[in-house]
Amino acid sequence: MLKTDILIVGSGISGLFFAMKTAKKRPDLSLVIMAKETAKNTNTRLAQGGIAVVTDLSADSFEQHIKDTLEAGGGHCDEEIVKMVVHQAPERLKELLEIGTSFDKNEEGKWDLGLEGGHSQNRILHHKDNSGLEIEQKLLKIIKQLPNVELWENHQVIDLNTDTKKDKTTCSGAFFYDKKHNRIKYIRARTIVLCTGGCGQLFENTTNPKIATGDGVAMAARAGAQIEDMEYIQFHPTALYSKSQNPLFLISEAVRGFGAYIVNEDQKRFLFKYDARGELATRDIISQAIFKELQYSAQDYMYLDCRHLDQDAFSYHFPMITSHCNENGINLKKDLIPIVPAAHYQCGGIKVNQNGRTGVKNLYAIGECARTGLHGKNRLASNSLLEALVFAHQASEDIDKTIAAFTYSSKIVIPKFPKAEQSNDYHVFDILKKELQILVTAFYTSGNCNAALTKAKIEILHEEAVSLIKSHEITIPFIEFSNMTATALLIIEQCKKQNTLSDPIKN
Ligand SMILES: Cc1cc2nc3c(=O)[nH]c(=O)nc-3n(C[C@H](O)[C@H](O)[C@H](O)COP(=O)(O)OP(=O)(O)OC[C@H]3O[C@@H](n4cnc5c(N)ncnc54)[C@H](O)[C@@H]3O)c2cc1C
């Protein structure tokens, strides 16, 4: 039977950084990283703006970064966690630099620090406008050199195996689908670390790639872990509008930090009506303002205006955004960029302590799937890559101390999985997924109206999916769809009236 000391589910920044640190410190341990598609297919790879770290103590301070994070979080952050993350940031940055990660510098050889909404200072380290790709590539290179780490691509974890004795649940392994061999298998592990990212694919408009289906949250909930704050889904205000694309291309927050305006159909700026910081207000405020304007004007999109900016400097700083706009026929010198808010980040998730531990023994969660207390109601821009690094470090240190007490369990409760079989009927699940996205988006953006009705409709969709597997034996799309419906129901359950995108906006 397959076994590994530590199973890491996910190959984004949290999974890779955790694996690198743990494997280097503990060459005696075996680590397996599973990714449901290729290792590169992550939210991490798409991160543009960069990573928030206080590096210039003459202009900035830890206290200001802490204050900005707490303010963005709307009084719902865990202050001790915020302090821990902000204070650890320089050390974690040093570790990224040690493996050759490069961030841009200015002509004086100092960090070229970007400014993003909600930050009172320029403090975002970035690699052009593709910071996540740079970090992921460097981490993957190191991971492939470590003899005690194996990277299993196209291996999709289906469920966790748990054992409950005297009200204490322990996680001891995972069932997974090996896509290449078309088989469901089981792996025993002494510790499992979920690094499965977010759930943006639940919404019609999202910046998240197809892998972001809330698998980790759904699996952890089934295993008995506590899930919190799922009602706080962050919408990014400036995704490039498209009727047909999913995910939508992101126009980084840093573009507004660089001086771009948000304007309406009449080419007028309107954000100052909603917040004195205008384009530099936090994402929740700007997204809400745009939703309001869309409602009033019955338009499908608003615009980002970059025409007044120094075009050479713009394309130097944002080469990927410039070329993507050009490829889509948008000339930044002359044209406005059509934009819509899009689901971007899951602020809540699997509840963990300061070391990434869930309430289930031997089960950890880090990165976007975890609810650490850092983000509160609304994540401050560029704090999530940082959170992933800090919690990967914390979990790695914790597991180093505790793993000696964790032995392999031989007890396996084999659930009844539908037969693993590829099928041409996958498009049926695409249709069901689309219907789910419409329901969740309508619920979330309409002030959480009709929770009971939306819940009932989602349950009907799930029933339809169940009837499909009986007749067609479609396994993997079914399992993913089940995770999506489970996560959607958690969002609906945890939604509170006051956190809605259509709430009256306070000036
Ligand atoms: C367009 C975009 C831009 C962003 N820009 C920034 C930014 O500038 N700064 C910032 O701080 N944050 C940014 N973010 C957010 C940030 O990128 C993510 O929060 C972060 O990268 C999440 O990392 P992660 O390791 O938790 O998950 P991910 O990077 O999403 O990785 C998830 C991994 O889990 C795997 N997985 C999922 N389910 C399963 C399963 N069932 N079985 C096996 N594997 C599974 C996936 O295959 C993948 O490997 C951005 C996000 C997006 C979408």
Side-chain angles (χ1 to χ4, degrees), residues 10-11 13-14 36 42-44 47 49-50 157 215 345 368 382 384-385:
S11 60
I13 185 170
S14 53
K36 68 177 173 181
T42 59
N43 270 327
T44 299
V157 174
D215 294 7
Y345 187 80
E368 191 167 337
S382 288
S384 49
L385 295 176

Side-chain angles (χ1 to χ4, degrees), residues 54-62 64 108 110 113 121-122:
V54 174
T55 51
D56 177 5
L57 284 171
S58 62
D60 198 1
S61 68
F62 293 126
Q64 284 181 79
E108 295 163 31
K110 294 184 176 160
L113 299 173
Q121 294 293 335
N122 287 48

Side-chain angles (χ1 to χ4, degrees), residues 8 24 43 68 77 101 108 172 178 182 189 192 195 205 211 215 250 275 287 289 312 341 371 390 455 472 485 499:
I8 300 153
K24 280 184 179 173
N43 270 327
D68 294 344
C77 302
T101 315
E108 295 163 31
S172 51
D178 171 348
N182 191 26
I192 295 187
C195 307
N205 284 337
I211 54 109
D215 294 7
L250 181 77
D275 192 287
S287 292
D312 289 339
R371 185 269 181 208
V390 170
K455 216 173 147 206
H472 298 288
T485 51
N499 177 54

Side-chain angles (χ1 to χ4, degrees), residues 9-15 34-39 41-51 116 131 136 155-158 195-198 207-209 211 213 215-216 219 250 344-345 366-369 379 381-386 388 483:
V9 189
S11 60
I13 185 170
S14 53
M34 285 191 200
K36 68 177 173 181
E37 296 191 355
T38 60
N41 200 347
T42 59
N43 270 327
T44 299
R45 184 178 61 103
L46 300 178
Q48 295 180 357
I51 178 163
E116 295 189 325
S131 311
E136 191 172 83
H155 283 66
Q156 181 155 350
V157 174
I158 296 170
C195 307
T196 47
T207 59
N208 290 192
I211 54 109
T213 51
D215 294 7
M219 284 190 278
L250 181 77
H344 185 60
Y345 187 80
I366 49 181
E368 191 167 337
C369 68
R379 169 181 71 109
S382 288
N383 262 359
S384 49
L385 295 176
L386 174 61
N483 287 335

Side-chain angles (χ1 to χ4, degrees), residues 72-73 76 198-199 217 228-235 283-284 344-351 367-380 384 387 444 491 494 499:
H76 196 61
C199 67
V217 166
E228 257 186 28
D229 291 348
M230 287 301 288
E231 68 270 39
Y232 302 124
I233 301 290
Q234 180 175 78
F235 275 62
R283 291 176 180 175
D284 54 338
H344 185 60
Y345 187 80
Q346 173 191 301
C347 298
I350 308 159
K351 191 173 181 195
E368 191 167 337
C369 68
R371 185 269 181 208
T372 63
L374 177 69
H375 307 304
K377 293 181 181 175
N378 176 50
R379 169 181 71 109
L380 183 66
S384 49
E387 179 196 49
Y444 202 80
I491 291 176
Q494 297 188 357
N499 177 54

Side-chain angles (χ1 to χ4, degrees), residues 290-332:
I290 295 176
F291 273 115
K292 282 271 156 197
E293 296 289 319
L294 291 175
Q295 247 173 29
Y296 295 147
S297 62
Q299 301 290 324
D300 287 336
Y301 42 83
M302 292 284 130
Y303 298 95
L304 198 61
D305 189 353
C306 301
R307 294 173 303 177
H308 56 288
L309 301 174
D310 175 337
Q311 297 296 318
D312 289 339
F314 187 93
S315 57
Y316 175 78
H317 278 92
F318 306 111
M320 185 168 67
I321 293 172
T322 306
S323 70
H324 191 90
C325 285
N326 289 341
E327 280 159 24
N328 283 274
I330 301 165
N331 179 339
L332 295 172

Side-chain angles (χ1 to χ4, degrees), residues 80-188:
E80 289 311 307
I81 293 293
V82 176
K83 285 181 184 162
M84 179 185 89
V85 171
V86 168
H87 282 282
Q88 258 194 42
E91 278 173 72
R92 305 289 76 84
L93 171 66
K94 195 163 157 255
E95 287 172 309
L96 278 188
L97 297 173
E98 279 165 4
I99 60 163
T101 315
S102 122
F103 294 106
D104 294 354
K105 291 194 169 169
N106 60 24
E107 282 161 6
E108 295 163 31
K110 294 184 176 160
W111 296 123
D112 177 28
L113 299 173
L115 179 65
E116 295 189 325
H119 286 274
S120 56
Q121 294 293 335
N122 287 48
R123 65 168 75 96
I124 318 298
L125 287 110
H126 59 95
H127 180 97
K128 303 278 181 228
D129 55 357
N130 52 25
S131 311
L133 181 66
E134 167 68 10
I135 295 170
E136 191 172 83
Q137 280 173 342
K138 293 290 155 45
L139 284 170
L140 273 172
K141 194 169 161 203
I142 297 284
I143 287 296
K144 286 177 183 166
Q145 293 161 4
L146 290 167
N148 53 336
V149 185
E150 289 179 37
L151 177 57
W152 296 5
E153 296 181 303
N154 295 307
H155 283 66
Q156 181 155 350
V157 174
I158 296 170
D159 226 342
L160 303 170
N161 186 39
T162 54
D163 186 17
T164 305
K165 269 189 210 136
K166 292 186 188 158
D167 287 344
K168 188 76 199 154
T169 304
T170 305
C171 183
S172 51
F175 298 94
F176 63 94
Y177 176 57
D178 171 348
K179 292 185 179 176
K180 189 169 167 213
H181 298 101
N182 191 26
R183 283 184 56 198
I184 290 176
K185 300 177 182 169
Y186 180 70
I187 186 163
R188 284 193 292 162

Side-chain angles (χ1 to χ4, degrees), residues 117 237-238 253 256 262 270-271 278-291 341:
T238 57
E253 181 120 6
R256 277 179 284 123
I262 290 181
F270 57 85
L271 289 175
E279 274 77 7
L280 291 180
T282 48
R283 291 176 180 175
D284 54 338
I285 291 172
I286 300 185
S287 292
Q288 287 177 356
I290 295 176
F291 273 115

